[in-house]
Amino acid sequence: MNPQHDQDLGWDASGALREREAGVHAPALLRAVEWLRGLLRIGGGGHAPVHRVLDVGSGPGVVTCLLAQTFPDAEVVAVDRSPGLLEQVRSRAAAQGVADRVVTQLTDVSGEFDALGAADLIWSRHGVQQVGDQQAALRSLVAGLRPGGLLAVAESGLPPRFLPRDIGAGRPGLQARLDAAAEDAFGAMRDQLPGAAATVEDWPAMLARAGLVPSGTRSFFTDLTSPLGMSAREYLHLRLTRLRDRIGDRLDPEDRATLEQLLDSDTSAGILGRPDAFYLTADTVHTARLCHGGVRH
């Protein structure tokens, strides 16, 4: 079977996880979008006109709808390679009363974004990181940016932390080992992407090489203390389930057994019932602007 097809199916199947994640991160993401609105301000207290916004790698559309609410005069285009996720975008936009300004666009060629049309603001949360040649993907995005427009690339500035070092089961330090295995798996996935190219992920420098002028980087924290609410717990259960499916074969038997214990819904030792579970992470947003008369490289 085509590995790229397998990945597409994986993105469809991850819709519930991505929706839960975006819901947990929603307050931080809203602060990020409001910061972008501030960066687009012009002299005299007004705002630069924002008529069209692209959400590249939109997933189920949580940020798409935040963008539509923050920029009420703009058409917001949700761009994703998953038809199932784009259907979720349309349903969410209708439920939030912004369906008249939210449109969806299926893009099936990774990194070739220059056919998306002109935009005043382009947002991509983890979208560029899923493309083999990230620098080329940025250049492709810049091709559609209007003079004075803003490109924002969001990444995980702090890997999620949600367990103590010693959880009373297995060897201490489980989460650090899960993170290391997940990073190895992500690297192996990136190596198999079409056109994969090694890149030092210095995003301000990469944005500058794409022909933009960096305009600031900021991190937006999600800090949920214990005891966690059920929505966050359910997200963590989905996250750990998907992690088991992706990296279970990379774990030693003891860590695999401990992970299974965390996924047990019927005991207080599982993530759904642990009183010590918390959630701390950060979305880091790198921004850059296409200056009037700027030269695209």
Side-chain angles (χ1 to χ4, degrees):
M1 184 175 287
N2 186 333
Q4 189 64 55
H5 178 65
D6 285 345
Q7 187 181 63
D8 293 346
L9 292 176
W11 286 345
D12 274 330
S14 71
L17 175 65
R18 295 177 69 180
E19 182 154 9
R20 287 279 188 178
E21 179 191 53
V24 170
H25 288 226
L29 293 171
L30 178 58
R31 294 194 299 273
V33 170
E34 290 175 339
W35 177 57
L36 299 182
R37 180 174 60 181
L39 289 177
L40 288 165
R41 285 177 182 164
I42 58 175
H47 291 78
V50 178
H51 299 300
R52 194 165 187 266
V53 178
L54 302 180
D55 180 4
V56 177
S58 64
V62 172
V63 177
T64 306
C65 291
L66 289 176
L67 289 164
Q69 292 160 357
T70 302
F71 299 98
D73 298 323
E75 175 188 70
V76 182
V77 184
V79 180
D80 208 282
R81 67 180 307 136
S82 163
L85 290 176
L86 290 179
E87 180 58 37
Q88 291 183 44
V89 174
R90 291 188 286 271
S91 297
R92 179 181 295 276
Q96 297 190 14
V98 293
D100 59 324
R101 292 187 296 105
V102 170
V103 299
T104 59
Q105 186 160 340
L106 184 67
T107 298
D108 59 3
V109 181
S110 294
E112 295 185 10
F113 301 126
D114 47 356
L116 297 176
D120 304 292
L121 171 62
I122 300 175
W123 164 275
S124 179
R125 182 172 184 258
H126 305 313
V128 175
Q129 293 92 324
Q130 300 289 341
V131 176
D133 190 335
Q134 297 178 97
Q135 188 66 60
L138 288 178
R139 287 195 293 268
S140 182
L141 287 173
V142 170
L145 199 60
R146 290 172 176 150
L150 200 67
L151 173 58
V153 177
E155 62 166 341
S156 177
L158 174 67
R161 316 307 304 166
F162 48 87
L163 291 170
R165 185 187 68 87
D166 190 339
I167 65 172
R171 290 181 293 139
L174 172 69
Q175 187 161 10
R177 294 190 295 278
L178 294 179
D179 287 346
E183 187 64 33
D184 286 344
F186 181 75
M189 180 278 292
R190 277 202 50 79
D191 289 343
Q192 296 177 11
L193 290 173
T199 305
V200 176
E201 292 180 346
D202 178 349
W203 291 102
M206 292 168 68
L207 290 166
R209 286 197 296 272
L212 303 179
V213 177
S215 53
T217 294
R218 185 174 293 184
S219 292
F220 300 88
F221 288 86
T222 299
D223 185 3
L224 306 178
T225 59
S226 59
L228 282 178
M230 187 50 65
S231 179
R233 289 178 182 275
E234 289 172 347
Y235 160 62
L236 289 176
H237 191 273
L238 282 171
R239 181 184 178 92
L240 288 171
T241 299
R242 187 154 177 83
L243 198 61
R244 177 194 60 191
D245 295 343
R246 288 177 54 225
I247 67 166
D249 60 352
R250 295 173 178 261
L251 302 176
D252 65 34
E254 184 178 15
D255 282 349
R256 175 64 185 254
T258 306
L259 180 56
E260 293 290 355
Q261 185 175 339
L262 285 169
L263 289 171
D264 189 340
S265 302
D266 297 324
T267 71
S268 59
I271 197 68
L272 292 177
R274 295 189 67 93
D276 56 358
F278 60 96
Y279 190 70
L280 173 65
T281 191
D283 288 279
T284 297
V285 183
H286 307 276
T287 67
R289 191 185 306 273
L290 181 63
C291 292
H292 290 274
V295 177
R296 299 186 178 103
H297 299 290

